[in-house]
Amino acid sequence: MAVTDEAIEKIKAMIVTGALRPGDRLPRESELAAGLGLSRNSLREAVRALALIRILDVRQGDGTYVTSLDPQLLLEALSFVVDFHRDDTVLEFLAVRRILEPAATAMAALRISEQELDALGAQLDELGAEPSVEELVACDLEFHRGIVRSAGNTVLCSLLDGLSGPTTRARIWRGLTQEDAVARTLHEHRAILAALRDRDAEAARSWATVHIASVEQWLRSAL
């Protein structure tokens, strides 16, 4: 494992220093192994590991390339790891979301376009006043994804997208067991949208915080 780690670090150094750039094709295996002072086996293992986390793209019959290194692509690995969360860590995911999402919502208030605001409003209108819990949670995910996307920070968007998965089951559970959960969620969505339309970053931040904290507070009492 130590030899493979060394190989990974050497390839990483080539990318960080610019010797290999996004989209570049790696030299032939024998040439690269010799140049880095590695065995071909350790190089192969390193390439396999870096391909798993989307740093490298192995194309059969063509060669191995550095990916675009786009944050959304690289953070897909986070989503994969997050899928293995335990139920007792859901509160921790919610706590992180409560830190990041209100900040993203405040950023969106200053950047979101009228067309994006209209799309969010149409989404809520289409949902109606009495959606099923499953419809509400699906809308909730898309509603917040649309807001965060409009904040203009792809890293933040990808992080929050990856963190939303573990809280989905908790939100469905809340909708099924808490009497006013659906009505409250719809009200909070409307309040967030109104703050965004007013370009009021602090109000948008506050409503997003309330929205996430209400799920967190309910979950603490339910566990």
XYZ file of all heavy atoms in Angstrom, residues 101-194:
703
model
N -25.968 25.877 3.637
C -27.072 26.249 2.754
C -27.601 27.664 2.969
O -27.906 28.356 1.984
C -28.201 25.222 2.861
C -29.218 25.382 1.747
C -30.052 24.132 1.551
O -29.480 23.027 1.423
O -31.283 24.269 1.514
N -27.742 28.156 4.220
C -28.163 29.555 4.372
C -27.182 30.534 3.725
O -27.601 31.540 3.142
C -28.216 29.727 5.900
C -28.518 28.353 6.414
C -27.738 27.443 5.519
N -25.893 30.232 3.803
C -24.897 31.101 3.152
C -25.089 31.093 1.644
O -25.038 32.143 0.984
C -23.489 30.631 3.511
N -25.345 29.906 1.083
C -25.581 29.804 -0.363
C -26.859 30.539 -0.758
O -26.918 31.187 -1.814
C -25.662 28.339 -0.770
N -27.884 30.457 0.090
C -29.154 31.120 -0.204
C -28.991 32.637 -0.172
O -29.560 33.353 -1.008
C -30.236 30.677 0.800
O -30.306 29.241 0.805
C -31.597 31.240 0.437
N -28.187 33.127 0.768
C -27.898 34.567 0.828
C -27.144 35.023 -0.421
O -27.423 36.095 -0.979
C -27.089 34.883 2.085
N -26.196 34.216 -0.864
C -25.460 34.537 -2.088
C -26.402 34.572 -3.284
O -26.307 35.442 -4.153
C -24.362 33.499 -2.324
C -23.212 33.570 -1.341
S -22.144 32.096 -1.418
C -21.552 32.188 -3.118
N -27.337 33.628 -3.309
C -28.280 33.540 -4.427
C -29.164 34.782 -4.509
O -29.550 35.201 -5.610
C -29.137 32.289 -4.295
N -29.499 35.369 -3.368
C -30.378 36.545 -3.362
C -29.798 37.688 -4.201
O -30.552 38.496 -4.759
C -30.614 37.010 -1.924
N -28.494 37.731 -4.293
C -27.835 38.806 -5.032
C -27.521 38.434 -6.476
O -27.119 39.283 -7.269
C -26.544 39.208 -4.309
C -26.695 39.566 -2.830
C -25.332 39.876 -2.212
C -27.642 40.758 -2.667
N -27.704 37.162 -6.833
C -27.298 36.691 -8.150
C -28.420 36.081 -8.989
O -28.341 36.047 -10.203
C -26.205 35.619 -7.997
C -24.901 36.121 -7.429
C -23.988 34.944 -7.105
N -22.677 35.361 -6.660
C -21.605 35.466 -7.436
N -21.710 35.178 -8.720
N -20.449 35.859 -6.958
N -29.447 35.580 -8.346
C -30.473 34.820 -9.050
C -31.214 35.702 -10.055
O -31.504 36.870 -9.788
C -31.455 34.182 -8.039
C -32.328 33.133 -8.708
C -32.291 35.238 -7.313
C -33.081 32.251 -7.721
N -31.504 35.132 -11.219
C -32.177 35.894 -12.274
C -33.688 35.849 -12.090
O -34.222 34.995 -11.371
C -31.810 35.320 -13.642
O -32.396 34.027 -13.812
N -34.385 36.745 -12.768
C -35.846 36.757 -12.713
C -36.417 35.465 -13.290
O -37.414 34.937 -12.789
C -36.396 37.968 -13.467
C -36.130 39.303 -12.783
C -36.793 39.412 -11.418
O -37.925 38.895 -11.259
O -36.188 40.011 -10.512
N -35.771 34.961 -14.335
C -36.232 33.711 -14.940
C -36.112 32.546 -13.958
O -37.007 31.694 -13.873
C -35.421 33.399 -16.203
C -35.676 34.340 -17.372
C -34.910 35.665 -17.257
O -34.105 35.855 -16.342
N -35.169 36.553 -18.202
N -35.021 32.528 -13.199
C -34.830 31.466 -12.205
C -35.842 31.599 -11.072
O -36.372 30.592 -10.574
C -33.400 31.507 -11.667
C -32.358 31.038 -12.676
C -30.935 31.319 -12.238
O -30.690 32.393 -11.635
O -30.058 30.482 -12.518
N -36.127 32.834 -10.676
C -37.136 33.063 -9.639
C -38.510 32.595 -10.118
O -39.261 31.953 -9.368
C -37.184 34.551 -9.274
C -36.021 35.081 -8.438
C -36.037 36.600 -8.416
C -36.077 34.526 -7.022
N -38.831 32.904 -11.362
C -40.128 32.484 -11.917
C -40.215 30.957 -11.980
O -41.286 30.377 -11.738
C -40.317 33.081 -13.311
C -40.562 34.586 -13.271
O -40.902 35.101 -12.184
O -40.391 35.239 -14.317
N -39.106 30.319 -12.315
C -39.094 28.847 -12.382
C -39.326 28.243 -11.003
O -40.061 27.248 -10.861
C -37.764 28.368 -12.958
N -38.734 28.833 -9.969
C -38.952 28.351 -8.602
C -40.412 28.552 -8.195
O -41.024 27.674 -7.575
C -38.032 29.089 -7.623
C -36.534 28.791 -7.715
C -35.756 29.727 -6.789
C -36.239 27.337 -7.358
N -40.957 29.711 -8.547
C -42.359 29.975 -8.219
C -43.294 29.006 -8.921
O -44.253 28.505 -8.319
N -43.008 28.724 -10.195
C -43.841 27.787 -10.953
C -43.758 26.388 -10.358
O -44.758 25.645 -10.328
C -43.395 27.767 -12.416
N -42.601 26.043 -9.874
C -42.394 24.734 -9.245
C -43.281 24.594 -8.013
O -43.928 23.556 -7.811
C -40.915 24.596 -8.874
C -40.488 23.223 -8.424
C -39.003 23.188 -8.093
O -38.286 24.164 -8.272
N -38.555 22.066 -7.590
N -43.329 25.647 -7.188
C -44.167 25.618 -5.990
C -45.646 25.618 -6.357
O -46.451 24.933 -5.719
C -43.832 26.807 -5.090
C -42.422 26.854 -4.494
C -42.263 28.074 -3.598
C -42.121 25.579 -3.713
N -46.011 26.403 -7.379
C -47.414 26.444 -7.815
C -47.868 25.075 -8.307
O -48.983 24.633 -8.007
C -47.589 27.475 -8.932
C -47.427 28.903 -8.430
O -47.537 29.118 -7.202
O -47.171 29.796 -9.265
N -47.011 24.422 -9.061
C -47.347 23.110 -9.613
C -47.515 22.069 -8.499
O -48.336 21.154 -8.606
C -46.250 22.661 -10.576
C -46.548 21.360 -11.294
C -45.450 20.967 -12.263
O -44.595 21.823 -12.573
O -45.433 19.796 -12.696
N -46.762 22.239 -7.427
C -46.841 21.293 -6.313
C -48.208 21.347 -5.643
O -48.735 20.327 -5.183
C -45.731 21.603 -5.302
C -45.536 20.626 -4.152
C -45.112 19.259 -4.694
C -44.482 21.157 -3.179
N -48.789 22.550 -5.568
C -50.110 22.701 -4.968
C -50.067 22.796 -3.458
O -49.002 22.777 -2.835
N -51.247 22.888 -2.856
C -51.352 23.108 -1.416
C -51.341 21.820 -0.600
O -51.073 21.841 0.598
C -52.625 23.894 -1.099
N -51.642 20.692 -1.238
C -51.710 19.434 -0.488
C -50.953 18.314 -1.221
O -51.558 17.300 -1.637
C -53.167 19.035 -0.265
C -53.939 20.028 0.595
C -55.371 19.584 0.844
O -55.759 18.516 0.319
O -56.103 20.292 1.561
N -49.659 18.454 -1.365
C -48.890 17.399 -2.035
C -48.691 16.204 -1.118
O -48.835 16.309 0.104
C -47.548 18.089 -2.317
C -47.417 19.064 -1.181
C -48.814 19.561 -0.911
N -48.363 15.074 -1.714
C -47.972 13.930 -0.888
C -46.598 14.227 -0.290
O -45.874 15.116 -0.770
C -47.892 12.661 -1.739
O -46.796 12.740 -2.648
N -46.242 13.487 0.742
C -44.938 13.695 1.376
C -43.814 13.432 0.383
O -42.837 14.192 0.318
C -44.796 12.780 2.611
C -43.374 12.851 3.160
C -45.793 13.196 3.686
N -43.959 12.384 -0.422
C -42.918 12.059 -1.396
C -42.766 13.169 -2.427
O -41.652 13.533 -2.800
C -43.243 10.736 -2.096
C -43.110 9.511 -1.208
C -44.292 9.325 -0.262
O -45.300 10.070 -0.385
O -44.208 8.443 0.612
N -43.894 13.725 -2.895
C -43.844 14.834 -3.865
C -43.194 16.055 -3.233
O -42.396 16.751 -3.876
C -45.260 15.189 -4.319
C -45.898 14.162 -5.232
C -47.369 14.459 -5.505
O -48.007 15.134 -4.664
O -47.862 13.998 -6.546
N -43.524 16.326 -1.977
C -42.962 17.487 -1.283
C -41.452 17.361 -1.131
O -40.703 18.315 -1.376
C -43.613 17.649 0.087
C -43.093 18.819 0.931
C -43.403 20.145 0.258
C -43.681 18.772 2.338
N -40.976 16.191 -0.728
C -39.540 15.998 -0.515
C -38.790 16.098 -1.840
O -37.723 16.709 -1.916
C -39.265 14.648 0.179
C -37.769 14.345 0.202
C -39.813 14.680 1.611
N -39.362 15.527 -2.905
C -38.724 15.629 -4.224
C -38.645 17.086 -4.669
O -37.615 17.538 -5.189
C -39.504 14.807 -5.245
N -39.723 17.836 -4.426
C -39.740 19.261 -4.764
C -38.746 20.023 -3.905
O -38.057 20.930 -4.381
C -41.150 19.827 -4.574
S -41.265 21.611 -4.853
N -38.662 19.653 -2.628
C -37.745 20.311 -1.699
C -36.300 20.196 -2.200
O -35.556 21.168 -2.218
C -37.880 19.675 -0.317
C -37.063 20.396 0.739
O -37.423 21.531 1.089
O -36.045 19.839 1.190
N -35.939 19.005 -2.642
C -34.583 18.785 -3.153
C -34.315 19.656 -4.369
O -33.268 20.310 -4.463
C -34.383 17.307 -3.508
C -34.306 16.324 -2.344
C -34.370 14.885 -2.856
C -33.033 16.538 -1.532
N -35.269 19.697 -5.317
C -35.083 20.482 -6.537
C -35.122 21.979 -6.251
O -34.386 22.762 -6.859
C -36.163 20.110 -7.571
C -35.921 18.783 -8.239
C -34.559 18.705 -8.903
O -34.178 19.666 -9.622
O -33.851 17.704 -8.700
N -35.983 22.390 -5.332
C -36.110 23.797 -4.961
C -34.785 24.333 -4.428
O -34.266 25.358 -4.894
C -37.217 23.935 -3.915
C -37.481 25.351 -3.452
C -38.202 26.229 -4.248
C -37.027 25.791 -2.224
C -38.459 27.530 -3.814
C -37.277 27.075 -1.786
C -38.002 27.955 -2.576
N -34.214 23.620 -3.478
C -32.958 24.081 -2.887
C -31.784 23.929 -3.844
O -30.874 24.761 -3.856
C -32.693 23.341 -1.573
C -33.682 23.685 -0.508
N -33.727 24.925 0.091
C -34.693 22.968 0.038
C -34.709 24.947 0.967
N -35.320 23.777 0.951
N -31.824 22.871 -4.668
C -30.750 22.697 -5.657
C -30.746 23.882 -6.635
O -29.694 24.391 -7.005
C -30.949 21.381 -6.404
C -29.824 21.049 -7.371
C -30.047 19.711 -8.040
N -29.820 18.611 -7.109
C -30.696 17.658 -6.837
N -31.883 17.672 -7.411
N -30.403 16.685 -6.002
N -31.937 24.306 -7.039
C -32.034 25.442 -7.961
C -31.504 26.720 -7.347
O -30.825 27.512 -8.018
N -31.796 26.945 -6.062
C -31.312 28.144 -5.376
C -29.799 28.121 -5.249
O -29.111 29.098 -5.566
C -31.968 28.273 -3.983
C -33.467 28.552 -4.138
C -31.301 29.377 -3.166
C -34.240 28.486 -2.838
N -29.273 27.003 -4.781
C -27.828 26.897 -4.572
C -27.082 27.029 -5.906
O -26.035 27.674 -5.981
C -27.472 25.570 -3.870
C -25.967 25.380 -3.804
C -28.066 25.543 -2.464
N -27.645 26.438 -6.961
C -27.017 26.537 -8.284
C -26.911 28.008 -8.714
O -25.909 28.414 -9.304
C -27.831 25.746 -9.294
C -27.121 25.512 -10.628
C -28.028 24.789 -11.605
N -28.454 23.496 -11.098
C -29.713 23.125 -10.933
N -30.688 23.962 -11.230
N -30.010 21.923 -10.475
N -27.925 28.784 -8.395
C -27.929 30.191 -8.811
C -26.968 31.043 -7.983
O -26.709 32.196 -8.332
C -29.343 30.766 -8.721
O -29.757 30.877 -7.372
N -26.436 30.492 -6.895
C -25.457 31.235 -6.086
C -24.139 31.419 -6.829
O -23.337 32.286 -6.486
C -25.214 30.515 -4.760
N -23.909 30.583 -7.841
C -22.734 30.765 -8.692
C -21.453 30.152 -8.192
O -20.373 30.498 -8.675
N -21.544 29.235 -7.223
C -20.340 28.585 -6.699
C -20.491 27.079 -6.898
O -21.251 26.423 -6.188
C -20.167 28.917 -5.211
C -18.851 28.410 -4.643
O -18.492 27.251 -4.812
N -18.133 29.285 -3.944
N -19.776 26.536 -7.879
C -19.957 25.130 -8.235
C -19.489 24.192 -7.130
O -20.053 23.101 -6.958
C -19.209 24.796 -9.533
O -17.821 25.137 -9.395
C -19.792 25.569 -10.715
N -18.472 24.588 -6.375
C -17.987 23.744 -5.280
C -19.053 23.639 -4.194
O -19.376 22.556 -3.713
C -16.676 24.288 -4.692
C -16.264 23.482 -3.465
C -15.561 24.251 -5.733
N -19.617 24.776 -3.822
C -20.666 24.799 -2.795
C -21.881 24.008 -3.261
O -22.480 23.253 -2.486
C -21.054 26.254 -2.500
C -22.006 26.515 -1.329
C -21.476 25.897 -0.046
C -22.224 28.014 -1.161
N -22.232 24.156 -4.533
C -23.378 23.441 -5.083
C -23.152 21.928 -5.017
O -24.038 21.178 -4.594
C -23.599 23.882 -6.518
S -25.083 23.191 -7.279
N -21.963 21.499 -5.387
C -21.664 20.065 -5.386
C -21.618 19.510 -3.971
O -22.083 18.393 -3.715
C -20.326 19.809 -6.090
O -20.410 20.176 -7.449
N -21.060 20.275 -3.033
C -21.009 19.833 -1.640
C -22.410 19.626 -1.083
O -22.710 18.599 -0.474
C -20.267 20.869 -0.787
C -18.747 20.803 -0.758
C -18.182 22.010 -0.025
C -18.272 19.515 -0.087
N -23.275 20.604 -1.298
C -24.628 20.509 -0.756
C -25.431 19.427 -1.450
O -26.258 18.749 -0.828
C -25.333 21.869 -0.878
C -24.889 22.882 0.182
C -25.348 24.283 -0.173
C -25.425 22.485 1.560
N -25.187 19.230 -2.732
C -25.871 18.157 -3.448
C -25.496 16.805 -2.846
O -26.341 15.934 -2.666
C -25.478 18.200 -4.929
C -26.610 17.765 -5.829
O -27.784 17.941 -5.443
O -26.321 17.242 -6.915
N -24.211 16.653 -2.518
C -23.754 15.410 -1.921
C -24.276 15.196 -0.513
O -24.505 14.058 -0.089
N -24.500 16.291 0.207
C -24.946 16.182 1.595
C -26.458 16.008 1.731
O -26.949 15.660 2.800
C -24.533 17.448 2.367
C -23.032 17.627 2.629
C -22.753 19.027 3.149
C -22.529 16.580 3.616
N -27.198 16.256 0.659
C -28.657 16.226 0.774
C -29.203 14.803 0.895
O -30.248 14.587 1.515
C -29.300 16.919 -0.435
O -29.037 16.201 -1.623
N -28.499 13.835 0.312
C -28.989 12.453 0.301
C -29.311 11.880 1.669
O -30.418 11.352 1.883
N -28.377 11.965 2.641
C -28.636 11.351 3.949
C -29.828 11.933 4.695
O -30.372 11.292 5.583
C -27.337 11.636 4.721
C -26.302 11.809 3.671
C -27.014 12.481 2.536
N -30.234 13.152 4.345
C -31.344 13.770 5.082
C -32.696 13.505 4.427
O -33.724 13.856 4.992
C -31.130 15.296 5.200
O -31.166 15.887 3.886
C -29.795 15.605 5.848
N -32.701 12.890 3.255
C -33.965 12.665 2.539
C -34.913 11.784 3.335
O -36.098 12.101 3.489
C -33.701 12.024 1.163
O -32.858 12.905 0.400
C -35.003 11.789 0.417
N -34.398 10.678 3.857
C -35.254 9.763 4.609
C -35.811 10.446 5.857
O -36.977 10.239 6.221
C -34.469 8.508 4.991
C -35.342 7.453 5.657
C -34.708 6.093 5.631
N -33.366 6.068 6.194
C -32.638 4.969 6.325
N -33.125 3.815 5.913
N -31.435 5.010 6.847
N -34.990 11.267 6.514
C -35.455 11.979 7.707
C -36.587 12.934 7.355
O -37.562 13.071 8.102
C -34.295 12.750 8.341
N -36.496 13.582 6.198
C -37.538 14.530 5.800
C -38.853 13.806 5.471
O -39.940 14.309 5.768
C -37.055 15.364 4.606
C -36.133 16.505 5.047
C -35.638 17.310 3.876
N -34.480 16.675 3.261
C -33.839 17.185 2.198
N -34.274 18.281 1.636
N -32.778 16.583 1.710
N -38.734 12.636 4.850
C -39.945 11.853 4.575
C -40.574 11.379 5.877
O -41.792 11.459 6.079
C -39.611 10.649 3.665
C -39.224 11.143 2.266
C -40.793 9.682 3.580
C -38.747 10.048 1.337
N -39.747 10.913 6.774
C -40.209 10.454 8.082
C -40.933 11.576 8.817
O -42.009 11.394 9.384
C -38.998 9.959 8.875
C -39.300 9.378 10.220
C -40.485 8.889 10.675
C -38.372 9.225 11.308
N -40.365 8.442 11.973
C -39.068 8.643 12.379
C -37.016 9.521 11.462
C -38.463 8.354 13.597
C -36.408 9.237 12.670
C -37.127 8.662 13.727
N -40.355 12.775 8.782
C -40.980 13.920 9.438
C -42.331 14.221 8.801
O -43.329 14.467 9.491
C -40.059 15.134 9.324
C -40.648 16.399 9.947
C -39.907 17.621 9.455
N -40.411 18.843 10.045
C -40.370 20.026 9.436
N -39.853 20.125 8.218
N -40.836 21.102 10.026
N -42.382 14.211 7.460
C -43.627 14.517 6.768
C -44.743 13.545 7.094
O -45.922 13.912 7.118
N -44.380 12.295 7.350
C -45.383 11.273 7.655
C -45.845 11.309 9.105
O -46.956 10.873 9.422
C -44.812 9.882 7.336
C -44.579 9.570 5.851
C -43.815 8.261 5.707
C -45.899 9.516 5.091
N -44.993 11.815 9.989
C -45.309 11.720 11.421
C -45.622 13.047 12.096
O -46.307 13.058 13.118
C -44.134 11.063 12.180
O -42.948 11.839 11.992
C -43.894 9.644 11.689
N -45.132 14.159 11.558
C -45.406 15.451 12.192
C -46.617 16.097 11.520
O -46.642 16.271 10.299
C -44.187 16.376 12.095
C -44.332 17.637 12.937
C -43.087 18.496 12.871
O -42.431 18.547 11.844
N -42.761 19.163 13.965
N -47.582 16.459 12.299
C -48.887 16.864 11.784
C -48.826 18.022 10.786
O -49.458 17.994 9.743
C -49.811 17.241 12.960
C -51.231 17.557 12.537
C -52.127 17.864 13.731
O -51.742 17.563 14.870
O -53.219 18.406 13.508
N -48.082 19.080 11.108
C -48.093 20.272 10.263
C -46.847 20.394 9.388
O -46.557 21.474 8.865
C -48.230 21.524 11.122
C -47.040 21.693 12.084
O -46.297 20.696 12.292
O -46.845 22.796 12.603
N -46.109 19.296 9.211
C -44.821 19.366 8.507
C -44.975 19.845 7.065
O -44.206 20.672 6.585
C -44.133 18.010 8.536
N -45.989 19.338 6.354
C -46.172 19.708 4.948
C -46.500 21.191 4.819
O -45.881 21.919 4.038
C -47.266 18.845 4.288
C -47.586 19.353 2.879
C -46.817 17.382 4.225
N -47.475 21.660 5.598
C -47.881 23.063 5.540
C -46.734 23.980 5.935
O -46.517 25.034 5.315
C -49.088 23.296 6.453
N -45.980 23.581 6.947
C -44.865 24.402 7.403
C -43.778 24.495 6.330
O -43.237 25.577 6.076
C -44.274 23.832 8.697
C -43.158 24.701 9.274
C -42.529 24.066 10.497
N -43.480 23.873 11.571
C -43.132 23.414 12.775
N -41.868 23.080 13.026
N -44.041 23.271 13.714
N -43.492 23.367 5.690
C -42.468 23.366 4.642
C -42.876 24.260 3.480
O -42.072 25.031 2.953
C -42.221 21.924 4.142
O -41.753 21.139 5.233
C -41.183 21.904 3.035
N -44.142 24.156 3.064
C -44.630 25.004 1.975
C -44.538 26.482 2.336
O -44.145 27.318 1.509
C -46.080 24.638 1.639
C -46.300 23.258 1.008
C -47.791 22.954 0.907
C -45.650 23.191 -0.369
N -44.892 26.812 3.575
C -44.807 28.205 4.038
C -43.362 28.693 4.011
O -43.083 29.826 3.556
C -45.367 28.303 5.455
C -45.117 29.646 6.105
N -45.743 30.798 5.698
C -44.268 29.998 7.126
C -45.308 31.817 6.441
N -44.423 31.356 7.303
N -42.448 27.866 4.472
C -41.031 28.264 4.503
C -40.465 28.420 3.096
O -39.675 29.330 2.834
C -40.239 27.244 5.317
C -40.545 27.298 6.808
C -40.067 26.072 7.585
O -39.560 25.123 6.946
O -40.225 26.062 8.824
N -40.881 27.555 2.172
C -40.449 27.704 0.782
C -40.914 29.038 0.214
O -40.155 29.735 -0.470
C -41.003 26.566 -0.064
C -40.230 25.293 0.062
N -40.605 24.129 -0.584
C -39.099 24.984 0.749
C -39.732 23.174 -0.299
N -38.832 23.670 0.514
N -42.160 29.389 0.461
C -42.697 30.653 -0.032
C -41.947 31.843 0.583
O -41.690 32.857 -0.089
C -44.188 30.756 0.281
C -45.081 29.798 -0.507
C -45.187 30.201 -1.957
N -46.058 29.306 -2.711
C -46.218 29.374 -4.030
N -45.561 30.295 -4.724
N -47.008 28.529 -4.660
N -41.609 31.731 1.865
C -40.892 32.816 2.537
C -39.484 32.984 1.966
O -39.003 34.109 1.777
C -40.822 32.535 4.043
N -38.823 31.868 1.692
C -37.488 31.929 1.081
C -37.578 32.581 -0.295
O -36.781 33.461 -0.644
C -36.875 30.515 0.975
C -36.537 29.972 2.364
C -35.617 30.540 0.106
C -36.159 28.492 2.377
N -38.559 32.163 -1.087
C -38.725 32.721 -2.432
C -39.022 34.215 -2.378
O -38.479 34.995 -3.178
C -39.846 31.978 -3.165
C -40.131 32.432 -4.609
C -38.878 32.321 -5.472
C -41.271 31.611 -5.211
N -39.856 34.634 -1.432
C -40.172 36.062 -1.289
C -38.926 36.865 -0.954
O -38.708 37.958 -1.495
C -41.240 36.254 -0.210
